[in-house]
Amino acid sequence: MKSSVIPSVRVAHEFRAQLEQVLHEDESLSAFVEAAVRDSVQQRLNQADFVQRGMASLAEARASGRYVQADAVVERLAQRLAAARATPRARR
């Protein structure tokens, strides 16, 4: 498959210097930019999927008339968190 080029981006010299300071050893600026773009694309896809599932859940709740109150959900989450904190974790 033939590769494509992402358009270049103009940035201030100060920002470019900051960027170069955070590069890992043997990491190129191009590799960093590609990784950042890939991460951003994946985050947006995940966000869109999350919103789509939420909208489907809302439609199902409206159709069925069954809702769960927010305070009940928060209470159950608090109980799960307390239980998780009370359980000793295995050493890594």
Side-chain angles (χ1 to χ4, degrees):
M1 173 168 65
K2 191 173 183 179
S3 62
S4 296
V5 176
I6 295 174
S8 60
V9 179
R10 291 202 174 276
V11 296
H13 294 292
E14 297 81 14
F15 182 67
R16 167 97 187 225
Q18 283 181 320
L19 177 58
E20 289 173 344
Q21 288 177 358
V22 300
L23 292 177
H24 293 247
E25 188 175 328
D26 296 327
E27 180 180 33
S28 69
L29 184 57
S30 294
F32 180 89
V33 169
E34 180 184 359
V37 170
R38 285 183 186 278
D39 290 347
S40 184
V41 167
Q42 188 59 56
Q43 190 273 336
R44 288 183 183 203
L45 291 171
N46 291 343
Q47 184 178 30
D49 184 53
F50 176 80
V51 169
Q52 185 177 20
R53 288 192 324 266
M55 296 302 288
S57 179
L58 176 60
E60 183 180 330
R62 284 183 174 155
S64 69
R66 294 182 306 161
Y67 293 86
V68 178
Q69 295 296 320
D71 56 349
V73 173
V74 170
E75 177 59 30
R76 282 187 284 196
L77 289 172
Q79 290 171 357
R80 288 177 65 182
L81 178 59
R85 285 182 172 159
T87 304
R89 294 184 351 182
R91 293 204 172 232
R92 294 183 179 140

Coordinates of all heavy atoms in Angstrom, one line a residue:
M1 N 0.8 -1.2 0.0 CA 0.0 0.0 0.0 C 0.9 1.2 0.0 O 1.9 1.3 0.8 CB -0.9 0.0 1.2 CG -1.7 1.2 1.4 SD -3.0 1.2 2.6 CE -2.1 0.9 4.1
K2 N 0.6 2.2 -0.8 CA 1.3 3.4 -0.9 C 1.0 4.3 0.3 O -0.2 4.5 0.6 CB 1.0 4.1 -2.2 CG 1.9 5.2 -2.6 CD 1.6 5.7 -4.0 CE 2.6 6.8 -4.3 NZ 2.4 7.3 -5.6
S3 N 2.0 4.9 0.9 CA 1.7 5.8 2.0 C 1.4 7.2 1.5 O 1.7 7.6 0.4 CB 2.9 5.8 2.9 OG 4.1 6.3 2.3
S4 N 0.8 8.0 2.4 CA 0.4 9.3 2.2 C 1.2 10.3 3.1 O 1.8 9.8 4.1 CB -1.1 9.6 2.4 OG -1.8 8.8 1.5
V5 N 1.1 11.5 2.9 CA 1.8 12.5 3.7 C 0.8 13.4 4.4 O -0.2 13.8 3.9 CB 2.7 13.4 2.8 CG1 3.4 14.5 3.6 CG2 3.8 12.6 2.1
I6 N 1.1 13.6 5.7 CA 0.3 14.5 6.5 C 0.8 15.9 6.3 O 2.0 16.1 6.3 CB 0.3 14.1 8.0 CG1 -0.3 12.8 8.2 CG2 -0.4 15.2 8.8 CD1 -0.2 12.2 9.6
P7 N 0.0 16.9 6.1 CA 0.5 18.2 5.8 C 1.4 18.7 6.9 O 1.2 18.4 8.1 CB -0.8 19.1 5.7 CG -1.9 18.1 5.5 CD -1.5 16.8 6.1
S8 N 2.3 19.5 6.6 CA 3.2 20.1 7.6 C 2.5 21.1 8.4 O 1.5 21.7 7.9 CB 4.5 20.7 6.9 OG 4.1 21.7 6.0
V9 N 2.9 21.4 9.6 CA 2.3 22.3 10.5 C 3.3 23.3 11.0 O 4.4 23.0 11.4 CB 1.7 21.6 11.7 CG1 1.0 22.5 12.7 CG2 0.7 20.5 11.3
R10 N 3.0 24.6 10.8 CA 3.9 25.7 11.3 C 3.6 25.9 12.8 O 2.5 26.0 13.2 CB 3.6 27.0 10.6 CG 4.0 26.9 9.1 CD 4.2 28.3 8.6 NE 4.8 28.3 7.2 CZ 6.0 28.1 6.9 NH1 6.9 28.0 7.9 NH2 6.4 28.1 5.7
V11 N 4.7 25.9 13.6 CA 4.6 26.2 15.0 C 5.7 27.2 15.4 O 6.7 27.4 14.6 CB 4.8 24.9 15.8 CG1 3.7 23.9 15.5 CG2 6.2 24.2 15.5
A12 N 5.5 27.8 16.5 CA 6.5 28.7 17.0 C 7.8 28.0 17.4 O 7.8 26.8 17.7 CB 6.0 29.4 18.3
H13 N 8.9 28.7 17.2 CA 10.2 28.1 17.5 C 10.3 27.6 18.9 O 10.9 26.5 19.2 CB 11.4 29.1 17.3 CG 11.5 29.5 15.9 ND1 12.0 28.7 14.9 CD2 11.3 30.7 15.3 CE1 12.0 29.3 13.7 NE2 11.6 30.5 13.9
E14 N 9.7 28.3 19.9 CA 9.7 27.8 21.3 C 9.0 26.5 21.4 O 9.4 25.6 22.2 CB 9.0 28.9 22.2 CG 9.8 30.2 22.2 CD 9.4 31.1 21.0 OE1 8.4 30.8 20.3 OE2 10.2 32.1 20.8
F15 N 7.9 26.3 20.8 CA 7.1 25.1 20.8 C 7.9 23.9 20.2 O 8.0 22.8 20.8 CB 5.8 25.2 20.2 CG 4.9 23.9 20.3 CD1 4.5 23.5 21.5 CD2 4.7 23.2 19.1 CE1 3.7 22.3 21.6 CE2 3.9 22.0 19.2 CZ 3.4 21.6 20.5
R16 N 8.6 24.2 19.1 CA 9.4 23.2 18.5 C 10.5 22.7 19.4 O 10.8 21.6 19.5 CB 9.9 23.7 17.1 CG 11.0 22.9 16.5 CD 10.5 21.9 15.5 NE 11.6 21.1 15.0 CZ 11.8 20.8 13.8 NH1 11.1 21.3 12.8 NH2 12.8 19.9 13.4
A17 N 11.1 23.7 20.1 CA 12.2 23.4 21.0 C 11.6 22.5 22.2 O 12.3 21.5 22.6 CB 12.8 24.7 21.6
Q18 N 10.5 22.8 22.7 CA 9.8 22.0 23.7 C 9.6 20.6 23.2 O 9.9 19.6 23.9 CB 8.5 22.6 24.2 CG 8.6 23.8 25.1 CD 7.2 24.3 25.5 OE1 6.3 24.3 24.7 NE2 7.1 24.7 26.7
L19 N 9.1 20.5 22.0 CA 8.8 19.2 21.4 C 10.1 18.4 21.3 O 10.1 17.2 21.7 CB 8.2 19.4 20.1 CG 7.9 18.2 19.2 CD1 6.9 17.2 20.0 CD2 7.2 18.6 18.0
E20 N 11.1 19.0 20.9 CA 12.4 18.2 20.7 C 12.9 17.8 22.0 O 13.6 16.8 22.1 CB 13.4 19.1 19.9 CG 13.0 19.2 18.5 CD 13.9 20.2 17.7 OE1 14.6 21.0 18.3 OE2 13.8 20.1 16.4
Q21 N 12.7 18.5 23.1 CA 13.1 18.2 24.4 C 12.4 16.9 25.0 O 13.0 16.2 25.8 CB 13.0 19.3 25.4 CG 13.9 20.5 25.2 CD 13.6 21.6 26.1 OE1 12.7 21.6 27.0 NE2 14.4 22.7 26.0
V22 N 11.2 16.7 24.6 CA 10.5 15.5 25.1 C 10.6 14.3 24.2 O 10.1 13.2 24.6 CB 9.0 15.8 25.3 CG1 8.8 17.0 26.3 CG2 8.3 16.1 24.0
L23 N 11.3 14.4 23.1 CA 11.5 13.2 22.3 C 12.3 12.1 23.0 O 13.2 12.4 23.7 CB 12.2 13.5 21.0 CG 11.4 14.4 20.0 CD1 12.3 14.7 18.8 CD2 10.1 13.7 19.6
H24 N 11.9 10.9 22.9 CA 12.7 9.8 23.4 C 14.0 9.6 22.6 O 14.1 10.0 21.5 CB 11.9 8.5 23.4 CG 10.7 8.5 24.3 ND1 10.6 7.7 25.4 CD2 9.6 9.3 24.3 CE1 9.5 8.0 26.1 NE2 8.8 8.9 25.4
E25 N 14.9 8.9 23.2 CA 16.2 8.6 22.5 C 15.9 7.9 21.2 O 15.0 6.9 21.2 CB 17.1 7.8 23.4 CG 18.5 7.6 22.9 CD 19.4 6.9 23.9 OE1 19.2 7.0 25.1 OE2 20.2 6.1 23.4
D26 N 16.4 8.3 20.2 CA 16.3 7.6 18.9 C 14.8 7.8 18.3 O 14.5 7.1 17.4 CB 16.6 6.2 18.9 CG 18.1 5.9 19.2 OD1 18.9 6.8 18.8 OD2 18.4 4.9 19.8
E27 N 14.1 8.7 18.9 CA 12.7 9.0 18.3 C 12.8 10.2 17.4 O 13.3 11.2 17.8 CB 11.7 9.2 19.5 CG 10.3 9.5 19.0 CD 9.3 9.8 20.1 OE1 9.7 10.3 21.1 OE2 8.2 9.4 20.0
S28 N 12.2 10.1 16.3 CA 12.2 11.2 15.3 C 11.0 12.1 15.6 O 10.0 11.7 16.1 CB 12.2 10.7 13.9 OG 11.0 10.1 13.6
L29 N 11.1 13.3 15.1 CA 10.0 14.2 15.2 C 8.8 13.7 14.4 O 7.6 13.7 14.8 CB 10.4 15.6 14.7 CG 9.4 16.7 14.8 CD1 8.9 16.9 16.2 CD2 10.0 18.0 14.2
S30 N 9.1 13.1 13.2 CA 8.0 12.5 12.4 C 7.3 11.4 13.1 O 6.1 11.3 13.1 CB 8.6 12.0 11.1 OG 9.1 13.1 10.3
A31 N 8.1 10.5 13.8 CA 7.5 9.4 14.5 C 6.6 9.9 15.7 O 5.5 9.4 15.9 CB 8.6 8.5 15.1
F32 N 7.1 11.0 16.4 CA 6.3 11.6 17.4 C 5.0 12.1 16.9 O 3.9 11.9 17.5 CB 7.1 12.7 18.1 CG 6.4 13.3 19.3 CD1 6.4 12.8 20.6 CD2 5.6 14.4 19.0 CE1 5.7 13.4 21.6 CE2 4.9 15.1 20.1 CZ 5.0 14.5 21.3
V33 N 5.0 12.9 15.8 CA 3.8 13.5 15.3 C 2.9 12.4 14.8 O 1.7 12.5 15.0 CB 4.2 14.4 14.1 CG1 3.0 14.9 13.3 CG2 5.0 15.6 14.6
E34 N 3.4 11.4 14.1 CA 2.5 10.3 13.7 C 1.8 9.6 14.9 O 0.6 9.4 14.8 CB 3.3 9.2 12.9 CG 2.4 8.1 12.4 CD 3.1 7.0 11.7 OE1 4.3 7.1 11.5 OE2 2.4 6.0 11.3
A35 N 2.6 9.3 15.9 CA 2.0 8.7 17.1 C 0.9 9.6 17.7 O -0.2 9.1 18.2 CB 3.1 8.4 18.1
A36 N 1.2 10.9 17.8 CA 0.2 11.8 18.4 C -1.1 11.9 17.6 O -2.2 11.9 18.1 CB 0.9 13.2 18.5
V37 N -0.9 11.9 16.2 CA -2.1 11.9 15.4 C -2.9 10.6 15.5 O -4.1 10.6 15.6 CB -1.7 12.2 13.9 CG1 -2.8 12.0 13.0 CG2 -1.1 13.6 13.8
R38 N -2.2 9.5 15.5 CA -2.9 8.2 15.7 C -3.6 8.2 17.0 O -4.8 7.7 17.1 CB -1.9 7.0 15.7 CG -1.4 6.7 14.3 CD -0.4 5.5 14.3 NE 0.2 5.3 13.0 CZ -0.4 4.6 12.1 NH1 -1.6 4.1 12.3 NH2 0.2 4.4 10.9
D39 N -3.0 8.6 18.1 CA -3.6 8.6 19.4 C -4.9 9.5 19.4 O -5.9 9.2 20.0 CB -2.7 9.1 20.5 CG -1.6 8.1 20.8 OD1 -1.7 7.0 20.4 OD2 -0.6 8.5 21.5
S40 N -4.8 10.7 18.8 CA -5.9 11.6 18.7 C -7.0 11.0 17.9 O -8.2 11.1 18.3 CB -5.4 12.9 18.1 OG -6.5 13.9 18.1
V41 N -6.7 10.4 16.8 CA -7.8 9.7 15.9 C -8.5 8.6 16.8 O -9.7 8.6 16.8 CB -7.2 9.2 14.6 CG1 -8.2 8.2 13.9 CG2 -6.8 10.3 13.7
Q42 N -7.7 7.8 17.4 CA -8.3 6.7 18.2 C -9.2 7.3 19.3 O -10.2 6.8 19.6 CB -7.2 5.8 18.8 CG -7.7 4.6 19.5 CD -8.5 3.7 18.5 OE1 -8.0 3.3 17.5 NE2 -9.8 3.4 18.9
Q43 N -8.7 8.4 20.0 CA -9.5 9.0 21.1 C -10.8 9.5 20.5 O -11.9 9.3 21.1 CB -8.7 10.1 21.7 CG -9.3 10.6 23.0 CD -10.3 11.7 22.8 OE1 -10.3 12.4 21.8 NE2 -11.3 11.9 23.7
R44 N -10.8 10.1 19.4 CA -12.0 10.6 18.8 C -13.0 9.5 18.4 O -14.2 9.6 18.5 CB -11.7 11.5 17.6 CG -11.2 12.9 18.1 CD -10.9 13.8 16.9 NE -10.3 15.0 17.4 CZ -10.4 16.2 16.7 NH1 -11.0 16.2 15.6 NH2 -9.8 17.2 17.2
L45 N -12.4 8.4 17.8 CA -13.3 7.2 17.5 C -13.9 6.6 18.7 O -15.1 6.3 18.7 CB -12.4 6.2 16.8 CG -12.0 6.5 15.3 CD1 -11.0 5.5 14.8 CD2 -13.1 6.7 14.4
N46 N -13.1 6.5 19.8 CA -13.6 6.0 21.1 C -14.7 6.9 21.6 O -15.7 6.4 22.1 CB -12.5 5.9 22.1 CG -11.5 4.8 21.8 OD1 -11.8 3.9 21.0 ND2 -10.4 4.8 22.4
Q47 N -14.5 8.2 21.5 CA -15.5 9.2 22.0 C -16.8 9.1 21.2 O -17.9 9.1 21.8 CB -14.9 10.6 22.0 CG -15.9 11.6 22.5 CD -15.2 13.0 22.5 OE1 -14.4 13.3 21.6 NE2 -15.6 13.9 23.4
A48 N -16.7 9.0 19.9 CA -17.9 8.9 19.1 C -18.6 7.6 19.4 O -19.9 7.6 19.4 CB -17.5 8.9 17.6
D49 N -17.9 6.5 19.6 CA -18.5 5.2 20.0 C -19.2 5.3 21.3 O -20.3 4.8 21.5 CB -17.5 4.1 20.0 CG -18.1 2.7 20.2 OD1 -19.0 2.3 19.5 OD2 -17.6 2.1 21.2
F50 N -18.6 6.0 22.3 CA -19.2 6.2 23.6 C -20.5 6.9 23.5 O -21.5 6.6 24.1 CB -18.2 6.9 24.5 CG -18.7 7.2 25.8 CD1 -18.8 6.3 26.8 CD2 -19.2 8.5 26.1 CE1 -19.2 6.6 28.1 CE2 -19.7 8.8 27.4 CZ -19.7 7.9 28.4
V51 N -20.5 8.0 22.7 CA -21.7 8.9 22.6 C -22.8 8.0 21.9 O -23.9 8.1 22.3 CB -21.4 10.1 21.8 CG1 -22.6 10.9 21.4 CG2 -20.5 11.1 22.6
Q52 N -22.4 7.3 20.9 CA -23.4 6.5 20.1 C -24.0 5.4 21.1 O -25.3 5.3 21.1 CB -22.7 5.8 19.0 CG -23.7 5.0 18.1 CD -23.0 4.4 16.9 OE1 -21.8 4.2 16.9 NE2 -23.8 4.1 15.9
R53 N -23.2 4.8 21.9 CA -23.8 3.8 22.9 C -24.7 4.5 23.9 O -25.7 4.0 24.3 CB -22.7 3.1 23.6 CG -21.9 2.1 22.7 CD -21.0 1.1 23.5 NE -20.4 1.7 24.7 CZ -19.1 2.3 24.7 NH1 -18.4 2.3 23.6 NH2 -18.6 2.8 25.8
G54 N -24.3 5.7 24.3 CA -25.1 6.5 25.3 C -26.4 6.9 24.7 O -27.5 6.8 25.3
M55 N -26.4 7.3 23.4 CA -27.7 7.7 22.8 C -28.6 6.5 22.6 O -29.8 6.6 22.7 CB -27.4 8.3 21.4 CG -26.6 9.7 21.5 SD -27.4 10.9 22.5 CE -28.7 11.3 21.4
A56 N -28.0 5.3 22.2 CA -28.8 4.1 22.1 C -29.4 3.7 23.4 O -30.6 3.3 23.5 CB -27.9 3.0 21.5
S57 N -28.6 3.8 24.5 CA -29.1 3.5 25.8 C -30.3 4.4 26.2 O -31.3 4.0 26.8 CB -28.0 3.6 26.9 OG -28.4 3.3 28.2
L58 N -30.1 5.7 25.9 CA -31.2 6.7 26.2 C -32.4 6.3 25.4 O -33.5 6.4 26.0 CB -30.7 8.1 25.9 CG -31.7 9.2 26.0 CD1 -32.2 9.3 27.5 CD2 -31.2 10.5 25.6
A59 N -32.3 6.0 24.2 CA -33.5 5.6 23.4 C -34.2 4.4 23.9 O -35.4 4.3 24.0 CB -33.1 5.4 21.9
E60 N -33.4 3.4 24.4 CA -33.9 2.2 25.0 C -34.6 2.5 26.3 O -35.7 2.0 26.5 CB -32.8 1.2 25.2 CG -33.3 -0.1 25.8 CD -32.2 -1.1 26.0 OE1 -31.1 -1.0 25.3 OE2 -32.3 -1.9 27.0
A61 N -34.1 3.4 27.1 CA -34.7 3.8 28.4 C -36.0 4.5 28.1 O -37.1 4.2 28.7 CB -33.8 4.6 29.2
R62 N -36.0 5.4 27.1 CA -37.3 6.1 26.8 C -38.3 5.1 26.3 O -39.5 5.3 26.6 CB -37.0 7.2 25.7 CG -36.3 8.4 26.3 CD -36.1 9.5 25.3 NE -35.6 10.6 25.9 CZ -34.8 11.6 25.3 NH1 -34.6 11.4 24.0 NH2 -34.4 12.6 26.0
A63 N -37.9 4.2 25.4 CA -38.9 3.2 24.9 C -39.5 2.3 25.9 O -40.6 2.0 25.9 CB -38.2 2.4 23.8
S64 N -38.6 1.9 26.9 CA -39.1 1.0 27.9 C -39.7 1.7 29.1 O -40.4 1.0 29.9 CB -37.9 0.1 28.4 OG -37.0 0.9 29.1
G65 N -39.3 2.9 29.3 CA -39.8 3.7 30.4 C -39.1 3.3 31.7 O -39.4 3.7 32.8
R66 N -38.0 2.5 31.6 CA -37.2 2.2 32.8 C -35.9 3.0 32.8 O -35.1 3.0 31.9 CB -36.8 0.7 32.7 CG -38.0 -0.2 32.8 CD -37.6 -1.7 32.8 NE -36.8 -1.9 31.6 CZ -36.0 -3.0 31.4 NH1 -35.8 -3.8 32.4 NH2 -35.3 -3.1 30.3
Y67 N -35.8 3.7 33.9 CA -34.7 4.6 34.1 C -34.0 4.2 35.5 O -34.7 3.7 36.4 CB -35.1 6.1 34.2 CG -35.6 6.6 32.9 CD1 -36.9 6.5 32.5 CD2 -34.7 7.3 32.0 CE1 -37.4 7.0 31.4 CE2 -35.2 7.8 30.8 CZ -36.5 7.7 30.5 OH -37.0 8.2 29.3
V68 N -32.8 4.5 35.6 CA -32.1 4.4 36.9 C -31.7 5.8 37.4 O -31.1 6.5 36.6 CB -30.8 3.5 36.8 CG1 -30.1 3.4 38.1 CG2 -31.2 2.1 36.3
Q69 N -32.1 6.1 38.6 CA -31.7 7.4 39.1 C -30.2 7.6 39.3 O -29.5 6.7 39.7 CB -32.4 7.7 40.5 CG -33.9 7.7 40.4 CD -34.4 8.9 39.6 OE1 -33.9 10.0 39.6 NE2 -35.4 8.6 38.7
A70 N -29.7 8.8 39.0 CA -28.3 9.0 39.1 C -27.7 8.8 40.4 O -26.6 8.2 40.6 CB -28.0 10.5 38.6
D71 N -28.4 9.2 41.5 CA -27.9 8.9 42.8 C -27.8 7.5 43.2 O -26.9 7.0 43.9 CB -28.7 9.7 43.9 CG -30.2 9.3 43.9 OD1 -30.7 8.7 42.9 OD2 -30.9 9.7 44.8
A72 N -28.6 6.6 42.6 CA -28.5 5.2 42.8 C -27.3 4.6 42.1 O -26.6 3.8 42.7 CB -29.8 4.5 42.3
V73 N -27.0 5.1 40.9 CA -25.8 4.7 40.2 C -24.6 5.1 41.0 O -23.6 4.4 41.2 CB -25.8 5.3 38.8 CG1 -24.5 5.0 38.1 CG2 -27.0 4.7 38.0
V74 N -24.5 6.4 41.4 CA -23.4 6.9 42.2 C -23.2 6.1 43.5 O -22.1 5.7 43.8 CB -23.6 8.4 42.5 CG1 -22.5 8.9 43.5 CG2 -23.5 9.2 41.2
E75 N -24.3 5.7 44.1 CA -24.2 4.9 45.4 C -23.6 3.5 45.1 O -22.7 3.1 45.8 CB -25.5 4.8 46.0 CG -25.5 3.9 47.3 CD -24.6 4.4 48.4 OE1 -24.4 5.6 48.5 OE2 -24.1 3.6 49.1
R76 N -24.0 2.9 44.0 CA -23.5 1.6 43.6 C -22.0 1.7 43.3 O -21.2 0.8 43.6 CB -24.3 1.0 42.5 CG -25.6 0.4 43.0 CD -26.3 -0.4 41.9 NE -26.9 0.6 41.0 CZ -27.8 0.3 40.1 NH1 -28.2 -0.9 39.9 NH2 -28.3 1.3 39.3
L77 N -21.6 2.8 42.6 CA -20.2 2.9 42.2 C -19.4 3.2 43.5 O -18.3 2.7 43.6 CB -20.1 4.1 41.2 CG -20.6 3.8 39.8 CD1 -20.5 5.1 39.0 CD2 -19.7 2.8 39.2
A78 N -19.9 4.0 44.4 CA -19.2 4.2 45.7 C -19.0 2.9 46.4 O -18.0 2.7 47.0 CB -20.0 5.2 46.5
Q79 N -20.0 2.0 46.4 CA -19.9 0.7 47.1 C -18.8 -0.1 46.5 O -18.0 -0.8 47.1 CB -21.2 0.0 47.1 CG -22.3 0.7 48.0 CD -23.7 0.1 47.9 OE1 -23.9 -0.8 47.0 NE2 -24.6 0.5 48.7
R80 N -18.8 -0.1 45.1 CA -17.8 -0.9 44.4 C -16.4 -0.4 44.7 O -15.5 -1.2 44.9 CB -18.1 -0.9 42.9 CG -19.3 -1.7 42.5 CD -19.6 -1.6 41.1 NE -18.6 -2.2 40.3 CZ -18.6 -2.3 39.0 NH1 -19.6 -1.7 38.3 NH2 -17.6 -2.8 38.3
L81 N -16.3 0.9 44.7 CA -15.0 1.5 45.0 C -14.5 1.2 46.4 O -13.4 0.8 46.6 CB -15.1 3.1 44.8 CG -13.8 3.8 45.1 CD1 -12.6 3.4 44.2 CD2 -14.0 5.3 45.0
A82 N -15.4 1.3 47.4 CA -15.1 0.9 48.8 C -14.7 -0.5 48.9 O -13.7 -0.8 49.6 CB -16.3 1.2 49.7
A83 N -15.4 -1.4 48.2 CA -15.0 -2.8 48.2 C -13.6 -3.1 47.6 O -12.8 -3.8 48.1 CB -16.1 -3.6 47.5
A84 N -13.4 -2.4 46.5 CA -12.1 -2.5 45.8 C -11.0 -2.0 46.7 O -9.9 -2.6 46.7 CB -12.1 -1.8 44.5
R85 N -11.2 -0.9 47.4 CA -10.2 -0.4 48.3 C -9.9 -1.3 49.5 O -8.8 -1.3 50.0 CB -10.5 1.0 48.7 CG -10.4 2.1 47.6 CD -10.7 3.5 48.1 NE -10.4 4.4 47.1 CZ -10.9 5.6 47.1 NH1 -11.8 6.0 48.0 NH2 -10.5 6.5 46.1
A86 N -10.9 -2.0 49.9 CA -10.8 -2.9 51.1 C -10.1 -4.2 50.7 O -9.6 -4.9 51.6 CB -12.2 -3.2 51.6
T87 N -10.1 -4.5 49.4 CA -9.4 -5.8 49.0 C -7.9 -5.5 48.8 O -7.6 -4.7 48.0 CB -10.1 -6.3 47.7 OG1 -11.5 -6.4 47.9 CG2 -9.5 -7.6 47.3
P88 N -7.1 -6.3 49.5 CA -5.6 -6.2 49.3 C -5.3 -6.5 47.8 O -5.7 -7.5 47.3 CB -5.0 -7.1 50.3 CG -6.1 -7.8 51.0 CD -7.4 -7.4 50.4
R89 N -4.4 -5.7 47.3 CA -4.0 -6.0 45.9 C -2.7 -6.9 45.9 O -1.9 -6.8 46.8 CB -3.7 -4.7 45.2 CG -4.9 -3.8 45.0 CD -4.7 -2.6 44.2 NE -3.4 -2.2 43.9 CZ -3.1 -1.1 43.3 NH1 -4.0 -0.3 42.9 NH2 -1.8 -0.8 43.0
A90 N -2.6 -7.7 44.9 CA -1.4 -8.5 44.7 C -0.3 -7.6 44.3 O -0.4 -6.7 43.6 CB -1.7 -9.6 43.7
R91 N 0.9 -7.9 44.8 CA 2.1 -7.2 44.5 C 2.5 -7.4 43.0 O 2.4 -8.5 42.5 CB 3.3 -7.5 45.4 CG 3.0 -7.1 46.8 CD 4.3 -6.9 47.5 NE 4.0 -6.3 48.8 CZ 4.6 -5.2 49.2 NH1 5.5 -4.6 48.5 NH2 4.3 -4.7 50.3
R92 N 2.9 -6.4 42.4 CA 3.3 -6.5 41.0 C 4.8 -6.7 40.9 O 5.6 -6.2 41.5 CB 2.8 -5.2 40.2 CG 1.3 -5.1 40.2 CD 0.9 -4.0 39.4 NE -0.5 -3.9 39.3 CZ -1.3 -2.9 39.4 NH1 -0.7 -1.7 39.6 NH2 -2.6 -2.9 39.4

